[in-house]
Amino acid sequence: MTREGTQMIRWGIIGCGDVTEVKSGPALQKAERSALVHVMRRDGAKAADYAKRHDVPRWSDTAEAVLADEDVNAVYVATPPSSHAQYAIAALQAGKHVLLEKPIAMTAAESDAIEQAVAQTGGKLSVAYYRRALPRFEKLREIVQDSTIGAVSLIEVRQFKQAERQSAQSWKTDPAIGGGGSFVDMQSHTLDWLTAVFGRPVRVNGVTKNTRGLHDAEDFVSFELEFGGFAAVGLCHYAAPHEEESVTIYGERGTVEMGFFRPSEISLTVDGVQRSLALPDPAHVHQPFVERVVSYFLDDTPNPCGADAGRVSSDLIDQIYQRV
């Protein structure tokens, strides 16, 4: 099946691991005009088990099988970052549209290659920064953009995690596979949201340290993004004695605060009056974003996060880590 002339997106997943169990896999099945028809994992037994549990008609243990499946017209690349460029480019060259997990790639050169493949093949690609479409994040955007709290003067990002509470997936603390540690895996979402709302910062500073040496990746990151008129400052520690996580936006008239990585109400204070806004996340948090992706693939509506937008947070990480 070619990309053209289709009225249904029929997905194949390359890498049906943990992220696809609840967050994204069922979203591909539940979104309108969307079906999940083929899943792949290098461990064939786990791929078969996933297909059985999620009622997916086909499974395989090679990416090539998904790319060769003529019934698949779009591929969700859900592998670790070290193989994002490889599979995204191969899928585009095989005539498939692509939903690519974040971060877009490991290096600027890989990001360039993905963008070139999109241009050369005429395929469509979206990067899965799904928080862009969640209702509470959209409400937070509205609050800061409609001057509810007045002109923004400061943004504070905080994330403290205990070392033993980090992901059991070892690649998330292996820079050779994930491009860094927990900061890259998690705070790339925050950086993406900030730049989606406020644009690219005009100046970036950062400090990274491996304070405890528990793994190869850094466990401390601080950063400052200067947006012109205000700054976003971050303090993130992944070997901390306690758990804490929030994004607080300060304005001339008040503040708004929300957790980005936990179920959270929006705490809004304006002119000294505090109130909470509850906008619960859907059961499958990728679904609102997937629905936008499907519409983009089929109807040519705006891309919810194209390759050029998806690489911005990766470029900022390179600057924070002083890789450029």
Side-chain angles (χ1 to χ4, degrees):
M1 180 179 293
T2 61
R3 288 188 290 245
E4 293 76 14
T6 59
Q7 297 303 314
M8 172 76 72
I9 294 301
R10 300 179 67 81
W11 294 96
I13 296 179
I14 296 178
C16 56
D18 289 350
V19 72
T20 70
E21 286 288 348
V22 177
K23 290 182 177 182
S24 57
L28 302 179
Q29 295 170 303
K30 294 177 179 295
E32 292 187 8
R33 300 184 295 167
S34 178
L36 178 57
V37 300
H38 195 152
V39 294
M40 170 268 169
R41 192 166 181 172
R42 287 182 298 176
D43 186 324
K46 290 183 178 180
D49 175 67
Y50 185 101
K52 180 179 180 180
R53 289 185 292 104
H54 291 274
D55 195 26
V56 180
R58 292 184 295 286
W59 65 269
S60 62
D61 58 6
T62 68
E64 290 75 16
V66 177
L67 300 181
D69 188 338
E70 294 185 356
D71 192 36
V72 170
N73 58 11
V75 171
Y76 171 39
V77 177
T79 60
S82 59
S83 57
H84 282 185
Q86 172 191 347
Y87 290 133
I89 292 169
L92 289 164
Q93 292 174 341
K96 320 294 187 183
H97 297 310
V98 176
L99 173 59
L100 179 59
E101 258 305 330
K102 58 80 201 167
I104 184 172
M106 293 282 282
T107 66
E110 287 185 351
S111 298
D112 289 342
I114 291 170
E115 292 186 71
Q116 290 167 6
V118 172
Q120 291 168 356
T121 64
K124 295 181 178 180
L125 180 143
S126 298
V127 183
Y129 280 113
Y130 66 87
R131 283 171 173 77
R132 289 179 175 225
L134 285 176
R136 64 188 176 103
F137 285 84
E138 290 292 83
K139 183 61 177 179
L140 185 62
R141 176 202 288 265
E142 177 186 318
I143 288 169
V144 298
Q145 289 186 333
D146 69 4
S147 298
T148 297
I149 61 172
V152 174
S153 57
L154 174 68
I155 300 173
E156 182 183 19
V157 178
R158 296 176 67 85
Q159 186 177 30
F160 294 173
K161 288 181 68 67
Q162 295 171 312
E164 59 271 21
R165 296 283 299 275
Q166 292 193 73
S167 171
Q169 295 173 291
S170 60
W171 66 263
K172 292 188 175 182
T173 53
D174 184 347
I177 302 175
S182 293
F183 181 88
V184 175
D185 179 50
M186 302 182 75
Q187 289 296 330
S188 57
H189 277 291
T190 305
L191 296 175
D192 174 75
W193 188 85
L194 290 173
T195 54
V197 174
F198 299 108
R200 280 182 178 264
V202 297
R203 185 170 57 86
V204 180
N205 290 314
V207 174
T208 65
K209 295 181 180 298
N210 189 339
T211 64
R212 292 182 59 187
L214 299 176
H215 39 66
D216 291 338
E218 72 294 333
D219 59 21
F220 171 85
V221 180
S222 66
F223 65 87
E224 179 185 9
L225 311 179
E226 174 58 54
F227 285 98
F230 69 92
V233 296
L235 186 64
C236 302
H237 188 25
Y238 302 100
H242 72 284
E243 301 272 315
E244 176 185 350
E245 186 271 312
S246 63
V247 174
T248 306
I249 304 173
Y250 299 85
E252 293 175 341
R253 297 181 55 206
T255 63
V256 60
E257 178 178 324
M258 188 176 79
F260 270 38
F261 301 99
R262 56 186 170 84
S264 173
E265 294 183 346
I266 299 171
S267 178
L268 176 64
T269 301
V270 179
D271 296 332
V273 178
Q274 193 274 334
R275 62 189 178 111
S276 296
L277 307 174
L279 292 167
D281 294 337
H284 311 292
V285 291
H286 280 237
Q287 188 169 343
F289 188 85
V290 167
E291 289 170 350
R292 294 185 185 184
V293 171
V294 169
S295 181
Y296 166 59
F297 287 175
L298 292 176
D299 305 327
D300 206 28
T301 56
N303 191 339
C305 186
D308 55 343
R311 72 173 294 172
V312 172
S313 60
S314 294
D315 290 343
L316 293 182
I317 289 169
D318 282 344
Q319 292 177 269
I320 290 169
Y321 282 49
Q322 300 179 30
R323 295 170 178 164
V324 294

